[in-house]
Amino acid sequence: MILLENVSKSFKNGVHALRDVNLYIEEGEFVYIIGPTGSGKSTLIKLLDGELIPTTGRVVVAGTDVGNLRHSRVPLYRRNIGVIFQDYRLLPELTVFENIAFALQVIGMDKVTIRHRVREVLELVSLEDKAKSFPRELSGGQQQRATIGRAIANQPRVLIADEPTGNLDPEKSQEIMGLLEKINLEENTTILMVTHDANLVDMNKKRTIALEEGFVVADIQKGGYIRHD
Amino acid sequence: MIKALRLLPFHVRSAVQGLRRHSTTAFSAVSAVSMTLILMSLFMLLTGNISSFTRNIESDFRIHVSIDALQDEAGIDSLQKQIQDVPGVKTVTFSSKDEELYKLKEENEEIFGMYEEGDANPLRDVFIIETQTPDDIESVTTAVNEMDGINKAEYGGDGVSVMISFFKALRNGGFIFVGALSLLAVFLISNTIKMTIYARSTEIGIMRNVGATNWFIRVPFIIEGLIIGLIGSLIPVTLTYFGYSYLYHVLGGHFLTSMFVMQKVNPFASIICLTLVGCGMLVGMVGSFLAVSKYLRWKR
């Protein structure tokens, strides 16, 4: 489902964010990407999302060569993947309901189906009572859940989550984890989750890929947070 | 295409919503449109009237041909045909010497009252020639002067033609100015709208993030531009129409002398109003299109 072949990414300012990364993630897998700040996690996500083009190598997601997409084709590609952004990226002038509905409107879904699906999603992320609120009226956790709702609304085949529990307390984090696991199991959605949260990784063991200085330093099937002293 | 039409109500709704939620920036864009359109309207009114002045003077501009006294009726007929065949001639009208005297008497009874019609009339029969364009006047005059049976062909002289060429230059200059002003308007308005949209560049990025195609993002902004242009043209249109008809009635339809006949309020002012509305909407749309496209290129 996700394939990275000899992927390197360097920036004009001389920073090498990723160096010769090779990864293969199967359909339906749930994978953690861990690593300290500046290890290349965000760059990896931007490569998968099509926001960045790899300097060398190939990024293939769901059969699409992401780095080779024309500018105008990028949004079409993104309809197959859902991204949960660390900074939420909700449209400030739209309510929670409208934000989630927007992701469905852009793919040309009809009104009745949209309304139905948004209700469903709001229930899933427990935001039914916030449907008419604007993002600025929500707490961090609520905004987080709104972006999760938007990301999963059109049932993407791949879900990329950038620190989805970064702003939440442990209890809420567990709740989000449960939600993601449910999506992973029920919809067979491939999930790639970037996280800092050692407890979470230890408690919900899954395949874990560790990045450091742009290299993949570990790829452990049984999971668990990697600590080195 | 069908899908695009089906989505139109949605786009219009989001455009209206966008305007409502960004009302201050929208207002500044509307004011920019208004100011530029008012300027444009002033110059169009001016140029249109100068062109009307020129046309009026031009139409008064005729060649006066006096016919040799020895010509009989058949000779006059053949002369008229001959003149009609000269390139550039529009109409040739015969006017007998008695008619000419009558016209002179009408203008000034005191001086010409002493003359009498008939054999004692000192005037000659004449042809009045109108040319197709004022430029033909000189060549036609020369050609007619060379014909047998013509006493003399003359026209108003250099003074009038200098005035006509002056007005023509003024009119052409005005057209160029209006053209330049329209370009300036596009630039100004597109800049204002660019600033309006700048505040929303993150919004555009997010739209792409959730899978909105470039055209899906552009259309509501373009509709917003159209609405801004439309609202922005309301004040200039009102000012132009009512201002001009007031001016027209106060001045009595001509400017300074009766030679300078002003354009009638209808259709002149109405056409300018339509042009203003059209320009406003077009410029708003083009401005928005350019601005959004710029920000779209920023984000991948």
Side-chain angles (χ1 to χ4, degrees):
Chain A
M1 184 52 79
I2 299 176
L3 173 70
L4 278 83
E5 255 177 15
N6 310 318
V7 173
S8 294
K9 178 70 192 175
S10 51
F11 293 101
K12 276 190 197 129
N13 59 8
V15 172
H16 295 277
L18 286 178
R19 300 168 202 250
D20 199 27
V21 172
N22 286 287
L23 270 182
Y24 180 69
I25 295 165
E26 295 254 19
E27 181 160 11
E29 260 192 287
F30 195 136
V31 180
Y32 293 124
I33 308 276
I34 59 168
T37 317
S39 57
K41 302 186 306 270
S42 296
T43 305
L44 180 64
I45 286 190
K46 283 178 179 158
L47 286 173
L48 292 171
D49 187 26
E51 243 181 283
L52 292 177
I53 299 170
T55 314
T56 58
R58 231 154 56 98
V59 178
V60 183
V61 179
T64 309
D65 187 345
V66 185
N68 263 339
L69 283 173
R70 279 213 319 268
H71 182 269
S72 59
R73 306 291 297 179
V74 173
L76 299 176
Y77 155 72
R78 287 185 182 142
R79 293 175 183 188
N80 302 315
I81 62 166
V83 182
I84 302 164
F85 298 99
Q86 194 177 359
D87 52 356
Y88 316 134
R89 299 201 191 170
L90 296 166
L91 290 164
E93 306 295 343
L94 299 184
T95 64
V96 170
F97 188 99
E98 288 166 339
N99 259 293
I100 297 172
F102 186 81
L104 301 174
Q105 275 154 354
V106 299
I107 60 171
M109 206 181 258
D110 70 277
K111 252 202 256 172
V112 181
T113 323
I114 290 177
R115 214 173 302 148
H116 186 75
R117 176 66 186 156
V118 176
R119 295 246 170 275
E120 225 171 65
V121 170
L122 282 173
E123 202 177 317
L124 203 64
V125 296
S126 336
L127 279 177
E128 303 101 307
D129 52 335
K130 297 289 177 194
K132 284 189 178 137
S133 306
F134 287 96
R136 59 175 174 276
E137 298 163 353
L138 301 180
S139 70
Q142 286 165 335
Q143 290 189 53
Q144 186 70 268
R145 281 183 277 151
T147 113
I148 294 174
R150 184 180 60 186
I152 62 172
N154 65 346
Q155 284 147 318
R157 297 171 65 193
V158 179
L159 191 61
I160 298 165
D162 190 359
E163 305 267 8
T165 60
N167 301 293
L168 306 179
D169 55 49
E171 200 181 317
K172 280 271 161 9
S173 300
Q174 252 331 299
E175 216 178 286
I176 297 287
M177 270 313 292
L179 180 61
L180 291 177
E181 278 176 335
K182 193 168 140 198
I183 295 161
N184 175 238
L185 277 175
E186 286 179 4
E187 318 256 3
N188 198 32
T189 307
T190 311
I191 298 185
L192 202 108
M193 177 169 154
V194 168
T195 186
H196 259 117
D197 193 335
N199 286 332
L200 202 85
V201 175
D202 282 340
M203 273 166 70
N204 310 274
K205 290 213 164 85
K206 294 176 195 310
R207 179 180 169 191
T208 305
I209 296 163
L211 284 175
E212 209 164 294
E213 309 247 305
F215 292 103
V216 174
V217 291
D219 185 347
I220 307 157
Q221 284 297 332
K222 64 179 187 338
Y225 204 86
I226 300 132
R227 292 174 185 79
H228 33 157
D229 309 298
Chain B
M1 195 61 208
I2 292 165
K3 195 180 156 197
L5 282 179
R6 197 163 54 82
L7 279 169
L8 202 62
F10 167 76
H11 286 313
V12 172
R13 233 179 304 126
S14 28
V16 172
Q17 208 172 47
L19 282 174
R20 242 203 348 255
R21 287 175 179 168
H22 299 90
S23 45
T24 32
T25 39
F27 177 75
S28 70
V30 165
S31 325
V33 174
S34 282
M35 291 314 294
T36 334
L37 287 182
I38 287 173
L39 260 176
M40 244 174 96
S41 155
L42 281 179
F43 275 92
M44 283 201 282
L45 289 172
L46 210 68
T47 320
N49 273 304
I50 287 174
S51 123
S52 148
F53 297 165
T54 324
R55 225 176 307 127
N56 257 295
I57 297 167
E58 275 173 11
S59 68
D60 279 348
F61 210 9
R62 298 184 178 116
I63 304 169
H64 200 261
V65 184
S66 53
I67 305 164
D68 208 293
L70 296 170
Q71 290 293 326
D72 56 5
E73 249 177 73
I76 290 171
D77 271 357
S78 84
L79 266 177
Q80 183 161 12
K81 286 200 186 83
Q82 249 180 290
I83 294 171
Q84 189 71 64
D85 289 340
V86 174
V89 171
K90 196 161 85 184
T91 59
V92 184
T93 329
F94 175 74
S95 172
S96 72
K97 58 182 180 180
D98 287 347
E99 283 169 330
E100 288 297 293
L101 182 63
Y102 180 71
K103 271 191 245 167
L104 284 175
K105 279 184 175 177
E106 270 214 325
E107 273 178 29
N108 202 329
E109 179 66 40
E110 267 176 52
I111 296 176
F112 298 104
M114 55 187 277
Y115 296 104
E116 274 171 33
E117 281 94 350
D119 288 340
N121 185 347
L123 298 175
R124 293 171 195 272
D125 295 333
V126 296
F127 287 127
I128 309 292
I129 305 175
E130 275 184 62
T131 57
Q132 269 151 7
T133 70
D135 301 331
D136 294 327
I137 284 185
E138 237 182 287
S139 62
V140 171
T141 311
T142 323
V144 173
N145 260 328
E146 280 165 7
M147 287 177 188
D148 287 335
I150 298 293
N151 181 43
K152 203 177 183 187
E154 44 188 8
Y155 62 97
D158 289 339
V160 181
S161 49
V162 165
M163 186 155 77
I164 285 189
S165 49
F166 171 70
F167 272 135
K168 259 191 182 165
L170 209 62
R171 179 180 56 184
N172 292 341
F175 279 136
I176 293 171
F177 204 84
V178 166
L181 210 65
S182 320
L183 274 178
L184 183 76
V186 174
F187 179 74
L188 249 173
I189 292 166
S190 111
N191 242 338
T192 317
I193 293 176
K194 209 179 275 172
M195 285 194 297
T196 336
I197 296 180
Y198 178 74
R200 295 157 76 177
S201 55
T202 23
E203 217 171 296
I204 292 172
I206 295 172
M207 287 179 185
R208 274 182 66 86
N209 274 325
V210 295
T213 54
N214 291 347
W215 273 107
F216 192 92
I217 298 170
R218 272 188 204 124
V219 170
F221 281 104
I222 291 175
I223 297 174
E224 271 186 48
L226 189 140
I227 297 173
I228 285 176
L230 190 68
I231 298 174
S233 64
L234 287 182
I235 294 174
V237 161
T238 321
L239 280 179
T240 301
Y241 193 82
F242 292 103
Y244 187 73
S245 46
Y246 174 75
L247 206 68
Y248 187 85
H249 288 117
V250 164
L251 294 175
H254 41 74
F255 183 68
L256 295 177
T257 79
S258 58
M259 195 158 65
F260 297 151
V261 179
M262 287 170 76
Q263 297 264 22
K264 291 219 169 59
V265 176
N266 263 312
F268 179 60
S270 320
I271 289 173
I272 289 187
C273 289
L274 281 179
T275 316
L276 290 180
V277 174
C279 275
M281 295 200 306
L282 190 76
V283 158
M285 281 167 67
V286 171
S288 295
F289 175 81
L290 292 178
V292 187
S293 297
K294 188 183 163 196
Y295 291 120
L296 278 174
R297 260 178 279 123
W298 277 10
K299 300 255 162 132
R300 201 179 134 80

